[in-house]
Amino acid sequence: MSPRPPLNAPERGDARTRLLEAARDLIRASGFASTSVDDLCRAAGVTKGAFFHHFESKEALGVAVAEFWSQTTGALFAAAPYHEPADPLDRVLAYVAFRRALIDGDRAAYTCLAGTLIQEVHDSSPAVRAACGRAILDHAATLEADIEAARSQRGIRGDWTAQSLARHTQAVLQGAFILAKAGDDAALARESVDHLERYIRLLFGAPGGAP
Amino acid sequence: MSPRPPLNAPERGDARTRLLEAARDLIRASGFASTSVDDLCRAAGVTKGAFFHHFESKEALGVAVAEFWSQTTGALFAAAPYHEPADPLDRVLAYVAFRRALIDGDRAAYTCLAGTLIQEVHDSSPAVRAACGRAILDHAATLEADIEAARSQRGIRGDWTAQSLARHTQAVLQGAFILAKAGDDAALARESVDHLERYIRLLFGAPGGAP
DNA sequence: CGCACCATACCGTCCGGTCGGTATGGCGTC
DNA sequence: GACGCCATACCGACCGGACGGTATGGTGCG
């Protein structure tokens, strides 16, 4: 599907990568349908021939950019410092703090491609929907182990699962981005993340969670 | 702006209303850019002439449908039974339960028009963005009084405001809709709403919030 | 040569928007 | 109440441009 491991590292990435980067940026800013193939080619500095050489259709690009998003953000989070604390709950809280710290500057720079993309195409393109869904749920799954470890370490019970809490963190983040757009202010997003942090502290009886 | 009380009742309301209803349904299902003016006219059973008679552009329809959404959902929530409990905290929890109960059946039937619309046009159409932002934040504001009453009644302090918690409920709901699309399952949305309810119970020390 | 990679010109369709025209009904005048 | 006048509501053919996609050809490299 994507057999492109270029051996001779070409400057600034090849056309395919540049198209994916352009798609990531333009779709986050303007949406999928509003971003034309010509826009993408112009932003990537390539021509239409290159586009349809690498992607058999615009929809195929949608799938590819969702997978690209999943891989690049996956690498970013895997290398992030929030894994360092020895206490699993501290790692979960550090993840939340890391996500909050990412929310600043331009909107299109901190919002989630998968979240915006899936809203548009959820019923018109099953392939893109599935790719975005995997990106979101796979990322959520990376939090489950720490949540479960924190839970068993502290003997926390309750009628919730580590999986559902992990997914809830993603729901809060996705919703936070929408609130930031609604109020035209990134602070609204950070406030929701603050509530998420407070919730987790309360769930685990950690300091700082007192109402 | 809309002085149309036709005396010879033409079946099913006037064209403007039918166009707004069609826009609400089609945009929720397919997004704004993917819904053409012809699609809207076909769904509403009117012609293009009628469309541009009532709306000077497609963007103007976007603004109008966001306001239409705000008014119709505002009336729905104003008349909903969650206002009945005497205890303000019970009213807040009843609101959350009401929202959870709304999440079933078809995705396009329970998702939020303003949330999906604002994701697409937040930087390409300031007017539509503002209208959607108002719809979301005005609705959040309707919860503030009950939250504040619950807080002072129970003597709850803490470093959060009623406004931020009201907005957080909307963030969770918006994010829950995205999760439902990601997993192609409304249950994912309900799970996030469950976490929201648990958070509120924990904040107020209410029964059922124990982890 | 053969193949991957890409450029350019082009095609048919669909899109948002325009425009001339019609039907209807309220209203003032006599 | 008959008539002229006009605003509102709506129709549907049409336009120019943008859209996704294709066909063809060039170029460098093993």
Side-chain angles (χ1 to χ4, degrees):
Chain A
M1 192 61 78
S2 63
R4 276 300 343 269
L7 296 191
N8 58 339
E11 313 294 334
R12 290 211 56 254
D14 56 340
R16 182 185 148 94
T17 301
R18 291 210 310 277
L19 279 166
L20 289 172
E21 291 168 345
R24 176 196 59 199
D25 298 339
L26 294 183
I27 292 172
R28 283 210 281 181
S30 307
F32 184 69
S34 300
T35 302
S36 72
V37 174
D38 285 327
D39 289 339
L40 292 167
C41 293
R42 207 172 309 124
V46 302
T47 60
K48 235 165 180 180
F51 184 98
F52 286 100
H53 172 73
H54 290 289
F55 308 102
E56 72 171 9
S57 67
K58 193 189 175 188
E59 185 184 1
L61 168 89
V63 175
V65 76
E67 291 168 352
F68 176 72
W69 175 257
S70 187
Q71 288 164 15
T72 52
T73 60
L76 172 73
F77 286 113
Y82 66 83
H83 301 284
E84 291 173 6
D87 186 330
L89 176 58
D90 286 343
R91 290 199 293 274
V92 175
L93 293 171
Y95 168 78
V96 175
F98 182 66
R99 293 305 303 262
R100 180 178 35 225
L102 288 180
I103 301 172
D104 73 338
D106 190 33
R107 252 203 311 265
Y110 63 76
T111 53
C112 175
L113 172 81
T116 64
L117 194 44
I118 202 171
Q119 289 256 49
E120 252 189 279
V121 301
H122 67 98
D123 85 337
S124 56
S125 171
V128 179
R129 191 212 63 73
C132 293
R134 257 175 284 136
I136 293 172
L137 297 178
D138 285 358
H139 177 64
T142 65
L143 304 172
E144 284 181 34
D146 282 344
I147 293 174
E148 190 56 48
R151 193 176 180 175
S152 68
Q153 190 203 37
R154 308 201 167 213
I156 306 287
R157 272 168 294 124
D159 54 348
W160 52 274
T161 64
Q163 187 188 53
S164 80
L165 180 57
R167 288 172 172 178
H168 178 62
T169 64
Q170 301 311 298
V172 172
L173 287 163
Q174 296 289 348
F177 298 147
I178 293 184
L179 264 282
K181 289 172 182 168
D184 199 12
D185 186 358
L188 294 198
R190 284 190 292 265
E191 282 186 17
S192 247
V193 177
D194 289 340
H195 281 288
L196 174 63
E197 180 187 338
R198 193 177 293 106
Y199 175 49
I200 294 173
R201 289 187 185 277
L202 284 169
L203 270 184
F204 287 94
Chain B
M1 195 56 81
S2 64
R4 268 308 337 273
L7 295 191
N8 61 339
E11 315 294 335
R12 303 197 45 244
D14 60 340
R16 184 185 149 92
T17 302
R18 292 210 309 277
L19 278 166
L20 288 172
E21 290 168 347
R24 175 196 58 199
D25 298 340
L26 294 184
I27 292 172
R28 282 211 280 183
S30 307
F32 184 70
S34 300
T35 301
S36 72
V37 174
D38 285 326
D39 289 339
L40 292 167
C41 293
R42 207 173 306 122
V46 302
T47 61
K48 228 166 186 177
F51 183 98
F52 285 99
H53 172 72
H54 289 288
F55 308 101
E56 73 170 7
S57 66
K58 192 188 177 190
E59 184 185 2
L61 168 90
V63 175
V65 76
E67 291 168 352
F68 177 72
W69 175 256
S70 187
Q71 287 164 16
T72 54
T73 59
L76 173 74
F77 286 114
Y82 66 82
H83 301 284
E84 292 173 5
D87 185 332
L89 177 58
D90 286 343
R91 292 199 291 275
V92 175
L93 292 170
Y95 168 79
V96 175
F98 182 67
R99 295 303 305 259
R100 180 177 36 225
L102 287 179
I103 302 171
D104 71 338
D106 190 34
R107 255 204 307 267
Y110 64 76
T111 53
C112 176
L113 171 81
T116 64
L117 194 45
I118 203 170
Q119 289 255 50
E120 251 188 281
V121 301
H122 67 98
D123 85 338
S124 57
S125 170
V128 179
R129 191 211 61 73
C132 292
R134 259 175 282 139
I136 293 172
L137 297 179
D138 286 357
H139 177 64
T142 66
L143 304 172
E144 284 181 33
D146 282 343
I147 293 173
E148 189 56 48
R151 193 176 179 176
S152 66
Q153 190 202 37
R154 310 204 167 209
I156 305 288
R157 273 168 296 126
D159 55 346
W160 51 275
T161 64
Q163 187 188 52
S164 81
L165 180 57
R167 288 172 172 178
H168 179 62
T169 63
Q170 301 311 299
V172 171
L173 286 163
Q174 297 289 348
F177 298 147
I178 293 183
L179 264 282
K181 289 171 181 167
D184 198 12
D185 185 358
L188 293 199
R190 285 189 292 267
E191 281 185 17
S192 248
V193 177
D194 289 340
H195 281 287
L196 174 62
E197 180 188 338
R198 193 177 293 106
Y199 175 48
I200 294 174
R201 289 187 185 278
L202 284 169
L203 270 185
F204 287 94

